[in-house]
Each structure stands twice: as structure tokens, then as C-alpha cells.
Amino acid sequence: WGLALPLFLLLDCARQGVRRRKGTGAAGRYLTDTGAVLWAELGGWNWNGILSKLCVLGILFVVLLLGGKFTFILFSWLNRALEDLHLAAVTALVFVVGVLMFMLPPVPGSAVYVFAGIVIGKKAMVSLDIWAASFFASVVALVAKLLGSCGQYWIGYRAGKNVKIQKLVGVDTVPTRAIEKILKTPGLGLGKMAILVGGPDWPTS
């Protein structure tokens, strides 16, 4: 909508101008019937709320962009701070932190993989080549992911019996009911895999 809407309105004005010169367009109107309907529809929108939300989204985008830059700076500092530790100690540290991060819904899984790859990979390259170090870091991240998934399942199993938690995740809403129906389907179909991989963490658990 960024450029498409103003461009559409501009072309619609030009089209209406041509029609008026040819005598087929209504006098005193700057838009065609289609353009007038769209303009009336847009006039009913809450532009104050829309533009406010756009500003918030823009701020979040900048925060995420800068957060990614600062993340690499943090990992670089962390590599320097962990230089004196043995690979086993670094692996254990990354594994524990990774499991905890995987169990937090706001934390994207990609951040954990990057964290394991940079920290463990850098440390493992002291005694291994880059391919072996990358494979080792990937295995640690995968095991942390699987254990974190088991932890989320345990949280969901225990907390799912609480009425307040059920109300919080909207257990009676259509999306949650749909997730429940898909997950209870026998087998491992595409829909179930999509829910397990991309569904909301704690409601799915």
C-alpha cells in the first residue's frame, strides 16, 4: 500500500480527467466511481490509530535491526571472555543457556542457533577444522532444542490443568481449538508439522 495507493488515486484522477474532457465523466468529480468508493472506504478508517501503529512497528523494526548488530558485538565480547575456559565448559554453558532460551516463547530459535554457532564454533576451531566445529555446534543446538521442546511440553502438561492458564491461552477460542484438533489427528501430517514448528509455543504445549 505504500506507493500503490497514491499511484492508484493519481491514475484514477487522470482517468476521470480524460473522461470529463470527452464528455463521458461526471462534472465536478475528480475520481471515477471505483475511485470514489475506495476514497469513501478510506475515509472511514481510523487513520490516527493506523499511523500510530505504523510508528510503533517502525520503532520495533529499528530495535530489532540494532539488536541484531549488538548481538554480534555481544557474542564477540563473549568469545573473548570465554577464551580461558575449556571447550567442555563452554559447551555446557551454551547448552544450558540454549535450553532456557528455547523454552522462552519471545526468543526466536534462530538466535540460539547463531549463539551456539558463534560461541561453540569459535572455541571448537582451536582443535577442529571449521566443518567439524560447525557440525559439533549444530549437534549441541539440536539437542538443546529437543530438550527445550520436552521442557515446553512439561510446562504445557502441568499448566494446562490450571483454569487461569486455560483462560489465558484462550482454550475455547477457534484458533486454539483448531490447533488441538490438528494435533490430535493420528500420524505426522503437514498440518501437524506446521503447528509444531511454527505454532505459538505455550498454547501448543
Side-chain angles (χ1 to χ4, degrees):
W1 287 96
L3 293 176
L5 182 58
L7 181 61
F8 170 80
L9 293 176
L10 181 62
L11 293 176
D12 195 72
C13 287
R15 185 182 183 186
Q16 179 67 4
V18 173
R19 288 182 176 181
R20 289 169 58 188
R21 287 184 176 276
K22 293 173 62 177
T24 58
R29 290 183 55 181
Y30 295 98
L31 294 173
T32 64
D33 292 339
T34 303
V37 171
L38 178 61
W39 184 260
E41 175 68 22
L42 294 176
W45 289 8
N46 182 12
W47 285 101
N48 185 33
I50 293 173
L51 295 177
S52 298
K53 291 180 176 64
L54 285 175
C55 290
V56 173
L57 289 176
I59 295 173
L60 291 176
F61 174 77
V62 173
V63 170
L64 290 175
L65 187 64
L66 294 178
K69 303 296 183 182
F70 284 118
T71 299
F72 286 104
I73 296 175
L74 175 62
F75 288 161
S76 299
W77 169 82
L78 194 58
N79 282 329
R80 294 293 301 273
L82 299 176
E83 280 182 346
D84 297 332
L85 292 180
H86 191 271
L87 176 60
V90 174
T91 302
L93 176 63
V94 172
F95 179 79
V96 172
V97 173
V99 170
L100 295 177
M101 292 175 68
F102 275 127
M103 291 178 66
L104 295 176
V107 179
S110 57
V112 183
Y113 294 122
V114 172
F115 171 63
I118 292 178
V119 177
I120 295 182
K122 178 68 174 178
K123 191 67 178 180
M125 285 178 63
V126 176
S127 55
L128 303 173
D129 59 40
I130 185 172
W131 299 107
S134 300
F135 177 77
F136 178 67
S138 300
V139 170
V140 173
L142 175 61
V143 175
K145 171 63 176 178
L146 295 177
L147 188 59
S149 299
C150 293
Q152 283 201 6
Y153 173 80
W154 180 81
I155 292 175
Y157 182 80
R158 302 289 296 181
K161 301 177 181 180
N162 189 303
V163 178
K164 292 183 178 180
I165 300 298
Q166 292 178 3
K167 183 179 179 181
L168 179 65
V169 301
V171 70
D172 291 327
T173 59
V174 175
T176 306
R177 288 295 187 185
I179 291 175
E180 180 183 8
K181 183 175 179 60
I182 293 173
L183 292 179
K184 286 185 176 181
T185 303
L188 191 61
L190 181 61
K192 183 178 289 188
M193 289 190 293
I195 294 296
L196 293 174
V197 173
D201 291 339
W202 286 355
T204 301
S205 302

